[in-house]
Amino acid sequence: MPDSPALDRLRAAARDPRAYVAQWREAHRGHQVVGVMPMNFPREIAVAAGVLAVTITDDQQPVGEGRAYLPEFYCGYTRNLADQAATGRLDHFDAVLLADHCIQLLGASDVARALDDTTPVFFGMLISSLSDTWAPAKIAEMMGQFRHEFEQLTGRRITDADLREAVEVCNRDRALLRRLLDERAAGDATWSPVELVDLVTSAQVMDPREHHALLVEAVAAAGDTRVRDDRVRVHLSGHLCHAPRRELLEVIEDSGAVVVDDDLWTGRRFAQTAVPLGEEEDPMDAIGRWYAERNVDLPCPTRVQHEVDWDVWLVEATRRSGAEAVIHLMPKFCEPHMLFYPELRKSLDAADIPQLLVETEHEGIPLESLRTRLEALVERTLRRRPAHV
Ligand code: SF4
């Protein structure tokens, strides 16, 4: 475990965003803090406006009061968001913003809007059908609207130079995270899955300049501890918009598997795509292309694009990383994931890749029965390895 003071600070921000927001406000008086929802929010525009954009995570508190506002068949993340809104746990934000994502998240943001009429909630309707000829114009229009919202919130104009700098800052931070994920896929076992989730989650919470400086320090302190071992190499797939519980990630590796890649929101899905900003290019155009291209780099079941498919991407990802098995982490009642899952299963079966579906619940999962299922997957996968001569 590559512990260091820098890693401690990143971990603290990931696990207690509220405390980080309080510190940041103290150090940046007069600047606003907004809560944003995963996955499509263009945080570069917030950075350009001098606003701290904090992805609102599942804070893993039991759903109490919020239970009254959303049906039981909404996913745990959205019910937790409703509970946060109902109990004032979003009151450290000056506004809440979301870019189109899924129906259930819309429901949660409506609850936030209804319960707190002092915190503005802005819903940016980004086009979800990305193959349409009119998609680029629609995306540009909505990105412009986000820019306008931030100008209204802060009372200052966002210049192209502000945007250009924000894009560079965010790209640099994502690039280092991507490098760590790529190194893991290539066999580097320096960071455990829990540590990598903390590194990525902290990037979704912190000022990207501060995050990057700490990340550089944490990576340097970790040194060169690449240990490749014989455990079964697995790819984690799913959890589109919040982190799997730490104990779940730990039990996966305790069962004889090593996580080599993922497509989690708190992993590759966040870090995969940089804003493709050319020297002469309008930064707003580049931010619009980022939105469209991230679905090509790593397809999302909430978007529609005829040229790409999550199942094809997943099979290719296992080939790139040498993953021997796939573990699907599906939050209970996550409709986009449920709708895609049969296709994922079919493609992996056709490619002869062992897989296991784990349905996760906000309230937790029985770890001992899960351990048995994971050990069975490990055994099954080990038996496929060629016998040693
Ligand atoms: S994508 Fe799934 S987990 Fe995320 S908010 Fe929608 S239903 Fe919930």
Side-chain angles (χ1 to χ4, degrees):
M1 169 168 307
D3 257 324
S4 65
L7 179 59
D8 285 346
R9 285 180 58 195
L10 295 169
R11 190 187 281 134
R15 298 186 187 185
D16 189 357
R18 199 181 176 90
Y20 176 77
V21 167
Q23 285 161 20
W24 193 88
R25 275 197 193 277
E26 196 56 38
H28 301 83
R29 285 176 185 269
H31 286 255
Q32 284 93 343
V33 180
V34 297
V36 300
M37 310 276 190
M39 302 175 263
N40 301 313
F41 188 80
R43 64 192 308 110
E44 289 76 5
I45 301 178
V47 174
V51 171
L52 179 67
V54 177
T55 303
I56 306 174
T57 54
D58 176 341
D59 66 4
Q60 304 201 345
Q61 301 294 314
V63 179
E65 226 170 293
R67 199 176 279 272
Y69 299 99
L70 287 179
E72 289 294 322
F73 53 81
Y74 268 48
C75 72
Y77 175 54
T78 47
R79 285 184 296 111
N80 174 261
L81 288 180
D83 195 61
Q84 292 190 46
T87 54
R89 297 187 336 260
L90 299 178
D91 61 4
H92 52 314
F93 297 126
D94 298 301
V96 170
L97 291 94
L98 73 152
D100 179 67
H101 170 146
C102 84
I103 298 283
Q104 296 187 26
L105 197 68
L106 263 180
S109 64
D110 280 346
V111 172
R113 197 195 320 258
L115 292 181
D116 181 358
D117 51 11
T118 56
T119 308
V121 176
F122 176 72
F123 166 48
M125 186 79 178
L126 274 166
I127 186 166
S128 58
S129 178
L130 298 171
S131 297
D132 293 333
T133 47
W134 55 86
K138 283 280 168 208
I139 295 169
E141 195 181 304
M142 187 42 67
M143 291 299 179
Q145 186 69 37
F146 277 123
R147 183 180 188 166
H148 175 71
E149 286 298 319
F150 277 101
E151 289 178 337
Q152 294 279 98
L153 184 72
T154 59
R156 70 172 268 265
R157 212 178 127 256
I158 301 173
T159 66
D160 282 356
D162 295 331
L163 284 163
R164 190 166 274 281
E165 199 208 332
V167 165
E168 280 161 14
V169 161
C170 294
N171 276 355
R172 190 180 53 180
D173 200 30
R174 281 200 172 104
L176 182 49
L177 288 170
R178 200 162 53 246
R179 193 191 97 195
L180 301 182
L181 294 165
D182 288 345
E183 286 173 354
R184 175 179 68 170
D188 182 347
T190 302
W191 305 95
S192 72
V194 171
E195 284 160 349
L196 275 173
V197 164
D198 281 338
L199 296 183
V200 177
T201 307
S202 54
Q204 297 169 358
V205 166
M206 296 176 77
D207 178 324
R209 295 174 191 85
E210 186 185 0
H211 184 266
H212 185 71
L214 286 171
L215 189 57
V216 168
E217 227 178 294
V219 170
D224 194 6
T225 50
R226 298 157 193 240
V227 192
R228 198 179 189 127
D229 61 37
D230 221 23
R231 285 176 292 170
V232 166
R233 297 165 64 79
V234 299
H235 178 112
L236 300 184
S237 178
H239 263 248
L240 302 167
C241 47
H242 66 103
R245 285 181 174 251
R246 288 192 284 281
E247 56 271 27
L248 168 60
L249 297 173
E250 281 160 1
V251 84
I252 288 173
E253 292 218 331
D254 285 352
S255 307
V258 58
V259 176
V260 294
D261 205 0
D262 69 62
D263 53 56
L264 311 176
W265 162 247
T266 47
R268 208 173 263 290
R269 196 172 288 283
F270 175 77
Q272 188 72 354
T273 304
V275 174
L277 180 58
E279 287 223 343
E280 302 297 320
E281 192 174 5
D282 177 338
M284 289 303 289
D285 289 349
I287 291 172
R289 282 202 292 125
W290 162 81
Y291 168 65
E293 285 179 14
R294 62 190 297 271
N295 194 57
V296 177
D297 287 348
L298 206 174
C300 173
T302 68
R303 307 294 93 180
V304 180
Q305 199 162 9
H306 304 309
E307 314 80 82
V308 294
D309 266 316
W310 190 10
D311 53 326
V312 175
W313 183 93
L314 185 53
V315 170
E316 283 170 3
T318 61
R319 303 226 159 101
R320 281 193 296 271
S321 68
E324 299 165 278
V326 171
I327 299 175
H328 304 276
L329 299 179
M330 184 195 287
K332 193 170 183 178
F333 299 128
C334 174
E335 267 175 12
H337 196 167
M338 283 181 344
L339 285 172
F340 247 80
Y341 175 67
E343 290 305 313
L344 301 178
R345 178 143 214 114
K346 239 190 293 171
S347 294
L348 290 168
D349 278 344
D352 204 22
I353 298 168
Q355 53 189 312
L356 177 70
L357 170 63
V358 177
E359 196 180 50
T360 65
E361 293 196 43
H362 175 75
E363 289 70 23
I365 45 173
L367 288 180
E368 280 318 306
S369 64
L370 174 62
R371 187 187 298 275
T372 310
R373 295 172 64 213
L374 288 165
E375 285 171 354
L377 175 74
V378 166
E379 277 300 314
R380 205 153 40 98
T381 312
L382 279 175
R383 277 204 294 273
R384 293 162 166 259
R385 285 186 177 167
H388 290 292
V389 278

